[in-house]
Amino acid sequence: STLPEKKMIFKGLTVNKEDMSNLMLTPQIHYPLPGGSALITFEEAKVAQRIIEMREHTVELSCGELEELDQCRVRVQAVPMDILLPSALEIRLTQSSRSILVSALPSLDISKEALLDKLELFFSKTKNGGSEVESREFLEDSDQVVLTFAEDGVAEPLIERGRIEVPIGKGKYKVKISPCMSGDISNLQLQPSRCPRTVLLLGIPDVLSEESMRDALEIHFQRASRGGGEVDALAYVPAGRVGVAVFVEDRG
């Protein structure tokens, strides 16, 4: 399985193995869907289980788009939706010798690019303890900046100082300097997990438009007389195409 890349900031403190902060992961699984399939999520898990136990379903279609009467019904297969979730994860951390993490930045009415220019200008000067800046970037989903110097030996003294006053605009602001850590997954264990409210439908023929087929499936599977119930979400991929479903943590 392929895990998506995600830049993260570890804010915990580690003292020894018996007293380590936990890193909580919220999985977001991307699952490929073949053509002629649909994912249907019910509001109740017992409905999904009932649909899976019935296995084969005959879905009535609207005949307005069809020429032959015997095409007004299609048979689809209902199977459980099983995905792989991480059960154990080990990350090997290494500290960059040329990069620093700049945080506690002020909230100013300037663009991110302008703020990066100010930081690069300050930290590129030797009188401020810096050197030529090779790259600068905001961390994704964060207000923290990674500055990478062109030379070794610049980052460590800045990190030891901890906080540095930086002139930005008309004011001076104390920013925090921390080590920049990079992590590689050294061990990953996965375990199968079944989605309790979601069912995978297979074998759907391409006989209606995408919208009409989606409506026909939802109408069929929300009827209690067909073993169904209230539908929370439905995604349909017509034959000849492929799709990707994104699974997130069920907080319901």
Side-chain angles (χ1 to χ4, degrees), residues 64-94:
E65 298 182 32
L66 305 175
E67 296 179 358
E68 299 180 18
L69 186 62
D70 60 358
Q71 288 183 311
C72 290
R73 294 180 179 87
V74 297
R75 290 184 177 181
V76 300
Q77 304 292 322
V79 297
M81 187 67 250
D82 293 322
I83 57 178
L84 291 175
L85 292 178
S87 59
L89 176 66
E90 293 181 10
I91 299 177
R92 182 177 58 251
L93 294 177
T94 55

Side-chain angles (χ1 to χ4, degrees), residues 50-57 76-80 201-202:
R50 187 163 62 234
I51 292 297
I52 293 170
E53 290 174 354
M54 294 172 66
R55 182 69 181 180
E56 190 173 271
H57 299 264
V76 300
Q77 304 292 322
V79 297
L201 304 176
L202 299 172

Side-chain angles (χ1 to χ4, degrees), residues 91-115:
I91 299 177
R92 182 177 58 251
L93 294 177
T94 55
Q95 181 176 334
S96 172
S97 62
R98 293 188 178 184
S99 299
I100 60 173
L101 182 68
V102 184
S103 59
L105 294 169
S107 298
L108 302 174
D109 190 20
I110 60 174
S111 67
K112 285 188 174 182
E113 197 64 27
L115 182 55

